[in-house]
Amino acid sequence: MKETQIVQGQVEKTSTTERISGSEAIVKCLIEEGVDLLYGYPGGAIMPVYDDLYKYQDKIHHVLCRHEQGATHSAQGYARISGKVGVAMATSGPGATNLITGIADAQIDSTPMVCITGQVPSHLLGSDAFQETDIVGISTPITKWNHQITKASEIPEVIAKAFYIAKSGRPGPVLVDITKDAQFEEFDFRYEKCSGIRSYKPVPETDKEALKVAADFINNAKKPLVVWGQGVILGEAEEEFKAVIEKAGIPSAWTILGASAIPTSHPLNVGMVGMHGNYAPNILTNECDVLIAIGMRFDDRVTGSLNTYAKQAKIIHFEIDPAEVDKNVKTDVAVLGDAKDSLKQLLPLLNPNSHIGWRQRFKDLYKIEFEKVIKADLHPTKDGLTMGEVLKEINVQTKGEAAIVTDVGQHQMIACRYAEFNESKSNITSGGLGTMGFGLPAAIGAKMAAPDREVISISGDGGYQMTIQELGTIFQTKAAVKVVVLNNDFLGMVRQWQQLFFDKRYASTEMVNPDFVAIAKGYHLNAKRVTKREELASAVEEMIASKEPYFLEVCVEKEDNVFPMIPSGASVSDIRLE
């Protein structure tokens, strides 16, 4: 059946309808949105959708993860490396609640994701039926938007909105909960993508006057410093960002989610800010006269004590989300809007500059950090292996072309500090939520989204065991993820804090670990363990050369610490080198 309708009183549009079930409509909606991969776990309340997925295997591939949390992290990894919306699906009750950690992670790290959950039939809602939970109520604080569907006719419009909201403006997760009777119900299906929602303006219009003020501050600065975040990557503004800093000659530092927007080797890339960031950009945050924040939210791990953070500087904030402006750090001028557009408009307003003397300060402080920290991490003289030298060897073998996906802990900070990135979207990690267990499933999603890229998962022995079951997903899908576990038999980051601030009382942080290589081989993966320095290079070479999934355990020093370090709540000026 064909219907003709007038859209906004101007455009005549003809679309075809067909009578199908709600469950089939869900699958067709996903196909219309260009979804080719989704991650999930079946169960009773979502079973009709899985039945229809079976019919459309030639158009959309479902990946059976081993846990619903793994499905969300895989969807996140897929989204982070591809720029598309990741999709995860689960049944009601525990299936839905198992998605929560990944949803919260995606919300705070601005990852576009649509989660679809099954729900008990609508006449049972509120009755404490088997596997009923109020997932809409539970997920409201950690989603960009959520909605419960009880009628099949709602499905096309709601799913179209879900994808639009997840991807537009500042991205984030959306959850759609669909009752089982709505999945069985038939209706006349027609799909139209959403291109706008009344009262929802995801991208603020850039204020040209604010741009002029910002340009004036930058042009008159003697000691400018850029701190950029993931907003540059999410806005696909890498080229515009590079053009701005190169024209103005501004040293630029990154948050962990901003890493890889420009190459590690770029002369204006002065390293990472924050608790375990580089010495120079942290120290000089409190010496710069203009601080230009681009697509970052002044997280506490970046700022340390707000009472002492960059008080001497004029603060310029380029930001797409008005809620982030003045939330933590008071700005002198805020430039709202899409990063790509704002930076493009800023560029002609800037005067060429080089700031040679100011940039030399960063080089001088880097030399101090190199002598006190970096040299020991990358060129150790002790017998035990360091995490830093493992990253150095990976850099050599991959030439900085790999996508590095990490868990959370010491290995994460070491990977962020020492991995070399030559391509954007190469550092995939859990930033704001700090989710242990993120790395392995996220690497699966990243590899499936970018099969031609080398994707290396780097975990500690603690976080790895939180989602170790996803080795089964690797085995079943043959996703050629390279899995590296840096094993120090400790919950390393917590142990470091216990050593430094709790008089070495290692309460519940020492791990008694299984045979990781045997477990990997149980999943039929190629696997190797390295315990000596002379074994490392050949093992990494063998791993990178493999066209199949590969597991590499590297036994590292048990009580190595990650420095520099800013103690919690201290000023960035109080950064410790030892």
Side-chain angles (χ1 to χ4, degrees):
M1 180 171 67
K2 287 193 173 181
E3 288 185 8
T4 301
Q5 65 176 154
I6 304 300
V7 180
Q8 296 179 341
Q10 298 174 349
V11 181
E12 188 177 273
K13 194 163 187 174
T14 302
S15 57
T16 302
T17 63
E18 56 180 325
R19 193 159 189 83
I20 59 175
S21 68
S23 58
E24 186 172 2
I26 293 164
V27 178
K28 282 182 169 285
C29 291
L30 296 177
I31 293 169
E32 288 284 346
E33 289 292 341
V35 176
D36 54 357
L37 275 169
L38 74 154
Y39 301 86
Y41 205 97
I46 198 70
M47 206 174 296
V49 179
Y50 273 86
D51 188 53
D52 280 298
L53 273 172
Y54 188 78
K55 304 173 190 174
Y56 289 90
Q57 294 179 70
D58 59 328
K59 293 185 177 178
I60 187 166
H61 178 56
H62 176 269
V63 178
L64 175 61
C65 296
R66 296 309 188 259
H67 191 284
E68 292 88 353
Q69 181 181 343
T72 55
H73 293 329
S74 290
Q76 287 177 274
Y78 175 94
R80 292 272 289 274
I81 203 167
S82 69
K84 299 178 182 178
V85 177
V87 183
M89 191 158 65
T91 192
S92 62
T97 58
N98 281 343
L99 300 175
I100 289 297
T101 297
I103 294 171
D105 195 288
Q107 173 77 341
I108 200 165
D109 281 355
S110 305
T111 303
M113 181 167 68
V114 170
C115 292
I116 296 173
T117 54
Q119 185 55 275
V120 300
S122 55
H123 72 278
L124 292 177
L125 289 172
S127 71
D128 291 333
F130 177 67
Q131 291 194 332
E132 181 195 2
T133 55
D134 179 9
I135 194 61
V136 170
I138 291 169
S139 65
T140 293
I142 55 167
T143 49
K144 193 175 176 185
W145 182 65
N146 64 16
H147 187 87
Q148 185 176 77
I149 294 174
T150 58
K151 297 289 184 184
S153 58
E154 301 174 70
I155 289 170
E157 182 181 0
V158 171
I159 290 184
K161 281 184 178 179
F163 276 86
Y164 176 70
I165 292 170
K167 187 71 170 71
S168 58
R170 180 181 181 177
V174 170
L175 182 137
V176 179
D177 190 46
I178 309 171
T179 60
K180 196 169 184 179
D181 53 324
Q183 297 172 44
F184 280 123
E185 184 184 5
E186 291 191 347
F187 74 111
D188 293 328
F189 172 78
R190 182 183 66 249
Y191 194 75
E192 291 177 12
K193 288 187 178 183
C194 181
S195 59
I197 299 171
R198 185 178 178 182
S199 80
Y200 170 57
K201 297 181 180 178
V203 182
E205 187 175 344
T206 301
D207 184 341
K208 296 188 184 299
E209 289 304 311
L211 269 175
K212 289 178 182 176
V213 174
D216 187 58
F217 282 162
I218 295 169
N219 288 334
N220 288 292
K222 304 299 181 187
K223 299 178 179 180
L225 172 63
V226 163
V227 177
W228 87 84
Q230 191 184 200
V232 172
I233 295 171
L234 293 173
E236 298 180 344
E238 293 93 340
E239 290 305 314
E240 290 78 8
F241 172 70
K242 189 155 81 72
V244 162
I245 64 171
E246 286 178 347
K247 183 176 182 180
I250 307 176
S252 302
W254 38 273
T255 69
I256 63 171
L257 294 180
S260 82
I262 60 173
T264 304
S265 59
H266 192 287
L268 290 169
N269 186 337
V270 294
M272 180 170 74
V273 290
M275 181 171 281
H276 292 286
N278 292 101
Y279 189 57
N282 275 305
I283 288 287
L284 297 180
T285 293
N286 282 355
E287 291 186 25
C288 67
D289 57 3
V290 175
L291 180 64
I292 306 114
I294 304 175
M296 55 85 76
R297 59 188 179 86
F298 291 110
D299 173 73
D300 65 295
R301 286 293 173 102
V302 166
T303 65
S305 170
L306 289 171
N307 294 327
T308 58
Y309 184 77
K311 292 299 182 182
Q312 78 294 337
K314 298 283 187 185
I315 307 291
I316 303 169
H317 196 175
F318 286 82
E319 178 57 50
I320 198 169
D321 184 357
E324 292 295 349
V325 174
D326 294 334
K327 186 175 81 174
N328 295 324
V329 173
K330 178 66 178 173
T331 59
D332 291 278
V333 59
V335 181
L336 290 171
D338 173 75
K340 189 180 187 76
D341 181 60
S342 297
L343 294 174
K344 189 180 292 184
Q345 292 186 56
L346 176 68
L347 184 63
L349 304 178
L350 297 178
N351 298 331
N353 211 325
S354 57
H355 295 291
I356 297 298
W358 172 235
R359 286 165 59 186
Q360 186 60 44
R361 286 278 288 129
F362 289 85
K363 295 175 183 177
D364 293 342
L365 290 176
Y366 174 81
K367 291 176 183 175
I368 295 172
E369 182 182 349
F370 182 85
E371 288 300 321
K372 293 201 172 221
V373 177
I374 297 172
K375 185 159 66 172
D377 282 346
L378 300 186
H379 309 282
T381 55
K382 54 191 170 186
D383 292 336
L385 284 159
T386 67
M387 291 180 281
E389 64 183 312
V390 179
L391 265 295
K392 184 182 76 167
E393 191 58 45
I394 289 172
N395 290 335
V396 170
Q397 301 285 352
T398 64
K399 300 179 174 60
E401 303 295 334
I404 304 295
V405 188
T406 65
D407 245 297
V408 170
Q410 286 182 316
H411 69 278
Q412 176 194 32
M413 293 297 101
I414 289 290
C416 289
R417 284 177 53 79
Y418 294 124
E420 294 177 1
F421 300 119
N422 293 328
E423 184 176 342
S424 187
K425 299 185 178 75
S426 291
N427 184 46
I428 300 170
T429 193
S430 173
L433 197 65
T435 303
M436 293 176 69
F438 174 89
L440 182 61
I444 294 170
K447 183 63 180 179
M448 289 181 170
D452 295 332
R453 292 198 66 184
E454 193 70 71
V455 175
I456 302 175
S457 165
I458 298 178
S459 297
D461 47 306
Y464 175 64
Q465 292 182 82
M466 288 191 170
T467 51
I468 193 172
Q469 68 274 5
E470 298 307 327
L471 290 177
T473 308
I474 292 176
F475 170 51
Q476 185 165 349
T477 62
K478 309 303 180 189
V481 177
K482 309 300 169 61
V483 182
V484 178
V485 169
L486 303 179
N487 183 4
N488 58 10
D489 294 312
F490 267 111
L491 298 176
M493 187 61 82
V494 184
R495 185 214 56 77
Q496 176 169 334
W497 282 53
Q498 289 172 333
Q499 177 185 336
L500 297 176
F501 308 117
F502 292 88
D503 297 323
K504 294 188 178 182
R505 292 188 296 275
Y506 296 156
S508 300
T509 46
E510 188 164 9
M511 304 285 286
V512 178
N513 287 317
D515 186 335
F516 290 128
V517 169
I519 291 172
K521 287 183 176 179
Y523 283 103
H524 303 282
L525 303 184
N526 294 321
K528 180 169 283 191
R529 177 184 294 113
V530 168
T531 60
K532 299 177 181 177
R533 183 165 290 116
E534 55 268 25
E535 303 168 338
L536 180 63
S538 61
V540 173
E541 182 179 17
E542 181 179 314
M543 177 183 74
I544 300 301
S546 175
K547 302 300 182 186
E548 299 176 346
Y550 194 104
F551 173 83
L552 178 64
E553 176 189 5
V554 183
C555 299
V556 296
E557 283 280 332
K558 289 190 68 169
E559 296 187 49
D560 263 0
N561 290 331
V562 181
F563 287 105
M565 180 180 183
I566 301 169
S568 181
S571 168
V572 291
S573 299
D574 296 329
I575 187 168
R576 295 172 53 171
L577 292 172
E578 55 190 11

